[in-house]
Structures are given as C-alpha cells and as structure tokens.
Amino acid sequence: MKLRDVTREAKLLLVGIPVALWTLIPIYHMLLFALSTKDEAFSGRLWPAHPTLSNFALVFEQKNYWLNHFWLQLWNSLLIAVAVGAITLFVATGAAFAISRLKVKGGRLVMNLALFTYFIPAAFLAVPMYKAMGTYGLLNSQWALILAMITLASPYAIWVLKQASDKLPVELDEAARIDGASPLQLFRLVYVPLMTPSLVAVGTYALLLAWNEYLYAFLLLSRDTDITLAVALGHFLSADDSPWELLMTTGFIYALPPAAIYYAFKRYMVTGLTAGAVKS
Amino acid sequence: MTSLALPGGEPAAPRSAARRRMSPWQFWGMMLIAPYVVVFLVFVLYPVLYGLWIARHPESYVKLFDDPVFAGSVVNTLVFLGVAINVKMGLALFLSGFFANTRPWIRWLSVLFILPWAVPSIPTILSFRFMLNPEWGIINSLIFQLTGADGPNWLNERWVALSMAMVVHTWKSLPFWTLILLAGRLAIPGELYEAASVDGASTWQKFKFVTWPSVSGLYLTSLILSTIWSLGDFNSIYLLTGGGPADLTHVLATLGIRYLRLDQVDLSMATIVCALPLVLPLVYFMMKRLSK
C-alpha cells in the first residue's frame, strides 16, 4: 500500500515538474532580462550574476528612444481599457436585461447575431473594421480602438450575462410588477444587485481584452502619442539593435496589471466565465 | 425595432400612439437593447457588407491565386490547425486529469499554470522570440554549452519556424482549455469512479468508460471553438516570425493583414473570403450547440 502511494506521487511529479518548467520558463526569461544589464542579458546566462533595477529606472525616466512616451502610452492603455470595460458593461447589461427579463421582441435574433459576431475570428473582422473606421473618419483616433473593442467584447459579455440572468427566478419580476415597479426600478433595485458577481466578471473581461489587444491597436492608431503600450512594444522590433533588456522590462511592467487583476478577481472570473463555456 | 421603423412625417402622433399600444416593459426593452443593436449595425454589419463589396471582383481572386505566398499560407494554415489544435486539446485533456488530483501542491501548480493565459501575449511571445535567437538566445547558448555545437536557426526555416509558432500558440492557450475540460471532469459524479473501482477497473478503463463518455461532447465543442479562434491567431505568427523568412510562414490571418499594410485591400478581403468556407460551417455548428 505504502509503495503504491509513493509510485503514484512520483508519477504525479513526473507530470508536475515539466508543467511547471514549461509554464514558467518564458516568464522567467522576461524577468531575467529585466534584471540584467544588456551585456549580461545577451550572454546566455541562466540567472543574473549582478541583478540590477537600472532597466526599470531607465524605463521610468523614459531614457531611451523607444521609451520617449512610456508614461503617456501606459496612460493610453489604461484609459482605453477602462473606457471599454465601462461602456461594454453598460451596453451588455442593458441588452442582457432586455433579452432575458423584459423578453423584448427580436431579442432572440439579437442574441444570435451577437453570438455570430463572437465566433468570427477577430483577425478577419479587423480588415473590414479598419476600412469602415476610415469611412467614419475615426482612424488615428482613440475612439476607433475603444469602439472596436466594445464591438469585440460585447457579444460574449451579453451571452454570459444572459446565461446568468436566465437563472434568476421569474417570481422576482412578477413580485416587482405587482408592487408597481417600473422596468427601470426592477433593473436598478433587483437586477443589478443580484447580478453583481457576473457584472464584475464581464467588466473585467472587457477591460483585460482591451488592455491586451495588439492587432486592432496597431491597425487603428499610429501616432506615438496615441498608441497603447502593446503597440509600443511591437515597435521595438522594427530596429535591428533593439534594446531587448528594456523591451522585456517594459513588457514585464505591462503584464503585471492584468496578472494582478486576474488573480484578484479569480473567484469571479473562473465561475463567471467558464460557467457558460462548460454547458455543452 | 418597430419604433425605429416609424415614418418620419409626423413624429409626435405615431410615436405616442405606438407608446400607448406598447407596454412599458417592451418600450424599455427596446431602449435597453438599442445600444448594442447600434454597435452591431455600425461596427459589424456595415463593415462586413463593405468588405464583401470590396471583394466582389473576380480579378482579385485570380491575382490572389497567382501569388505563391497565398498557396503557402493556405498550407500553413491547414498544418497549423491540424497539428497545433489536436496536440493542444490532447494535452489539455491529459492535464485536466492531472489537475483533478486533489493535493495542495497541485492546487498551487494550477495557480501558476494559469499565468500564460492571464498575462498579455505580446511580451511573452517576444520573450520566446529572443530565447530562440540563434546567436544570443538562451536556448542555443545552452545547446552550445552542453554539446559544443551550434544550435539550429530556429526562426529561419519554414517548418521549424512554423512549429515554434505552434509551440507559442499552445503555451498561450493550453491553460484555458485545461480549465474548461477540468470543469467538465469535476462535474462527473464521484460515485461513478467508486463503482468502477469496486468492479476493479484500471485507470485506462475508468477513462474510457466513465470520463470520456461524460466529457466527449465538451471536448468536441472545445475542439471546434479552438479551431475557429486559432484561425484568427494573428499574434503567435506575426510577433514571432513576422511571416518570415521570405513570407514562408504566413497563415491566412497574417496574410490578410499583410495585404492591408501593402495597400492591397482587395487582396486582403479576398483572402478573408477564401477562409469563409472553413469558418462558416464551424460557426454554424457552434451556434447550433449554444442556442440549444
């Protein structure tokens, strides 16, 4: 019995250790570069002999050609992500409430159109979206990126909220109607408080989607003072002698907020977002 | 919708009439759904119709099929989907079984394991890119230290570079699919496994007769969804290889953007239209599944 437990534990470790290495190596490599000087980073060492925070100082003081607008670009990323999160939440909550609770006419059709949008690969929608933004005169405006990301984030947001909202008992609405509540009172006093966990999950989802987006940001924005940090990271590649240690430092700073938000809201994210997907 | 379709001649009278006929619940339903309907019409329907209009000329397709990069990209896309998706989903199925074990250290590992999915893809893909650098990268340094020989030029040969893009793609999306399949496994009642143990079933038999019948539907849904999303995976290729060397590692998603950047919008849209026969049946399948 004892021996069987030991072999079982050993078998688990045989899977667990490669999984840990596979997961951490690219992230460790990023951190290694962030803590090394350029010469050390390029020497192929596995750990920094003289770890230093000088790269972070260089980034924060914007002391490199590629980093001239670091703080502004960080602010752009934040502003766009928050705007997308807030507006998507507004659009999706209204739509989900109308479809699921108010049973609005045509709600089913709208839900299906939203799902259809969700399943079209974003890279394929990018080209027509780029052309349309040109027609609307929005190219090179941050509104173009905000509106595009709302378009991409809303369908899944509506779907998750509709799934969660269908689970609320109908008696709630009936009781509210009998008490003479208006639809808006039902929405504000009953629906939103009960839906809070799903709303947090959906808002976070939209916010992270916008913060992480590269392709749309890179197509729709071009001025150095307008672009997000994601696009700025991509720009590093256009030089032959890119300062990779600074690139990895900036990348590390850029990756921290989403990772922190993910872990902070893990409870909401996992239950809120996978609940829909698991139902098959 | 009816309120939008009213004739504009005498706005006041018909609207209040409509309002009187419509319950406040329907009225507010329309008001609340309207923002999304506007978003859909302006940023999905119009762009798609405009895009199809741009792609209407048969000459665009002749030009596209004459471009050797297009044929190569189609092959790359099919290889990418055929290999990367199946390897990834197979691994996810296997690892979901691993993470279903309840041990404190496995719970900690699962927290770490989600990192690739939780962090943005740009910095991590760029980290891979430098690791694979033939002169300065850490992988070839290790190969040199261990064997004394120079390592391969990872990103400079079509199939090696494409394989590396698949590795990056798998690294990024494996945690998500593992979580989904894990949730599917955890939904299986424990009594089924206990009964199987009493009957003396082996691990393989438990998988074959208990786990697989319960998760096969979820697995298929995940496989289809993952195929659709991977078709649109622009980052793994573009940020790792840039489509190079010599445009040999493009997939349809990066090719469409390449034409757009070269100001050949007609070719760009034609590329996307050529991907539709693959995308639309999968989308139809997913819609059928989810709207049940």
Side-chain angles (χ1 to χ4, degrees):
Chain A
M1 205 57 193
K2 260 271 168 65
L3 186 69
R4 254 185 67 186
D5 286 353
V6 172
T7 46
R8 170 142 190 83
E9 211 62 30
K11 272 188 199 160
L12 286 177
L13 278 175
L14 213 60
V15 179
I17 293 171
V19 166
L21 287 175
W22 156 265
T23 302
L24 288 179
I25 283 175
I27 295 167
Y28 172 74
H29 182 255
M30 188 158 63
L31 191 61
L32 173 72
F33 263 56
L35 296 174
S36 304
T37 58
K38 181 161 193 153
D39 290 344
E40 274 199 4
F42 281 55
S43 70
R45 296 181 60 100
L46 290 182
W47 53 87
H50 311 284
T52 163
L53 290 176
S54 60
N55 289 330
F56 286 90
L58 284 173
V59 172
F60 291 147
E61 290 164 21
Q62 311 193 123
K63 282 193 176 151
N64 186 283
Y65 172 75
W66 300 103
L67 293 165
N68 276 338
H69 303 288
F70 170 77
W71 287 108
L72 185 59
Q73 288 158 353
L74 186 69
W75 170 249
N76 291 340
S77 280
L78 181 72
L79 194 72
I80 288 167
V82 170
V84 171
I87 302 175
T88 302
L89 201 54
F90 170 76
V91 170
T93 317
F97 180 69
I99 296 170
S100 165
R101 308 312 295 190
L102 300 181
K103 306 281 181 217
V104 65
K105 283 193 202 102
R108 208 182 147 76
L109 173 70
V110 173
M111 189 67 254
N112 280 333
L113 290 174
L115 272 180
F116 182 76
T117 313
Y118 175 56
F119 290 132
I120 295 293
F124 291 165
L125 201 57
V127 177
M129 183 91 86
Y130 174 84
K131 292 306 291 177
M133 290 296 181
T135 324
Y136 300 146
L138 286 171
L139 281 184
N140 290 323
S141 149
Q142 293 184 342
W143 276 107
L145 181 57
I146 293 174
L147 290 165
M149 294 316 295
I150 292 168
T151 310
L152 295 186
S154 303
Y156 187 61
I158 297 175
W159 192 65
V160 168
L161 292 178
K162 180 187 171 288
Q163 297 287 109
S165 146
D166 284 345
K167 291 199 191 95
L168 299 180
V170 219
E171 291 77 17
L172 276 178
D173 301 36
E174 285 162 4
R177 279 180 204 224
I178 291 165
D179 288 349
S182 73
L184 281 188
Q185 280 169 327
L186 176 71
F187 180 74
R188 198 160 46 89
L189 301 173
V190 180
Y191 186 75
V192 170
L194 285 174
M195 291 284 287
T196 305
S198 301
L199 295 176
V200 171
V202 159
T204 315
Y205 157 79
L207 188 130
L208 291 184
L209 195 76
W211 175 276
N212 293 348
E213 180 58 31
Y214 176 72
L215 173 60
Y216 279 76
F218 143 90
L219 287 177
L220 296 172
L221 304 174
S222 55
R223 276 188 299 265
D224 273 350
T225 47
D226 284 342
I227 58 175
T228 60
L229 210 48
V231 183
L233 286 170
H235 279 182
F236 270 87
L237 293 176
S238 46
D240 287 333
D241 55 343
S242 299
W244 278 86
E245 71 291 358
L246 296 179
L247 167 59
M248 290 288 124
T249 313
T250 317
F252 184 76
I253 297 165
Y254 167 70
L256 271 183
I261 289 177
Y262 177 81
Y263 284 109
F265 291 121
K266 187 162 181 290
R267 201 160 46 93
Y268 294 116
M269 300 294 285
V270 174
T271 50
L273 295 182
T274 59
V278 171
K279 187 198 145 215
S280 65
Chain B
M1 278 312 202
T2 45
S3 67
L4 292 176
L6 285 170
E10 282 170 289
R15 189 183 296 157
S16 61
R19 192 94 202 247
R20 235 177 290 131
R21 262 180 276 118
M22 206 193 291
S23 75
W25 301 83
Q26 276 300 312
F27 173 78
W28 280 109
M30 299 214 169
M31 295 305 282
L32 288 169
I33 207 172
Y36 180 70
V37 172
V38 171
V39 165
F40 179 83
L41 294 177
V42 176
F43 297 109
V44 180
L45 191 64
Y46 171 74
V48 167
L49 293 179
Y50 184 35
L52 292 176
W53 173 251
I54 293 173
R56 73 192 181 282
H57 302 294
E59 309 93 79
S60 315
Y61 299 89
V62 176
K63 248 196 314 184
L64 186 66
F65 295 147
D66 279 344
D67 188 344
V69 178
F70 175 72
S73 306
V74 171
V75 174
N76 289 345
T77 307
L78 294 175
V79 170
F80 194 95
L81 294 180
V83 178
I85 310 278
N86 285 304
V87 169
K88 177 178 71 178
M89 294 310 293
L91 276 174
L93 184 62
F94 172 73
L95 288 177
S96 67
F98 167 75
F99 284 111
N101 285 292
T102 43
R103 302 266 194 299
W105 69 269
I106 291 181
R107 198 162 322 118
W108 278 107
L109 187 60
S110 73
V111 172
L112 271 186
F113 180 66
I114 205 72
L115 262 177
W117 190 60
V119 298
S121 49
I122 304 103
T124 47
I125 295 175
L126 295 178
S127 177
F128 267 107
R129 183 171 170 146
F130 200 86
M131 287 202 297
L132 294 168
N133 183 303
E135 287 166 76
W136 311 106
I138 207 158
I139 294 178
N140 277 6
S141 298
L142 274 180
I143 291 178
F144 183 76
Q145 280 166 28
L146 293 176
T147 67
D150 287 335
N153 201 340
W154 297 98
L155 300 178
N156 215 4
E157 199 277 321
R158 180 182 179 184
W159 296 111
V160 182
L162 198 65
S163 311
M164 290 304 118
M166 293 188 217
V167 169
V168 168
H169 169 86
T170 305
W171 184 81
K172 170 77 186 160
S173 55
L174 184 62
F176 176 76
W177 295 113
T178 308
L179 264 194
I180 297 288
L181 293 176
L182 176 62
R185 271 185 197 254
L186 294 180
I188 303 172
E191 298 94 72
L192 290 180
Y193 289 104
E194 281 161 30
S197 293
V198 170
D199 293 343
S202 67
T203 313
W204 168 246
Q205 284 171 323
K206 278 186 206 161
F207 175 78
K208 194 176 161 195
F209 295 114
V210 180
T211 313
W212 180 246
S214 315
V215 296
S216 58
L218 179 62
Y219 187 81
L220 184 65
T221 311
S222 306
L223 199 69
I224 304 285
L225 195 51
S226 172
T227 307
I228 301 175
W229 284 345
S230 307
L231 256 172
D233 185 2
F234 169 84
N235 289 354
S236 296
I237 304 274
Y238 182 81
L239 291 166
L240 193 73
T241 71
D247 287 327
L248 287 174
T249 58
H250 276 294
V251 290
L252 291 175
T254 58
L255 188 66
I257 306 295
R258 172 180 173 265
Y259 286 131
L260 181 69
R261 305 287 290 178
L262 294 173
D263 244 346
Q264 296 174 304
V265 185
D266 52 335
L267 290 189
S268 176
M269 276 314 302
T271 308
I272 293 166
V273 170
C274 288
L276 290 184
L278 190 54
V279 178
L280 292 181
L282 297 176
V283 170
Y284 178 74
F285 175 89
M286 280 309 299
M287 305 258 312
K288 279 291 242 196
R289 277 224 124 162
L290 288 189
S291 55
K292 253 190 290 193

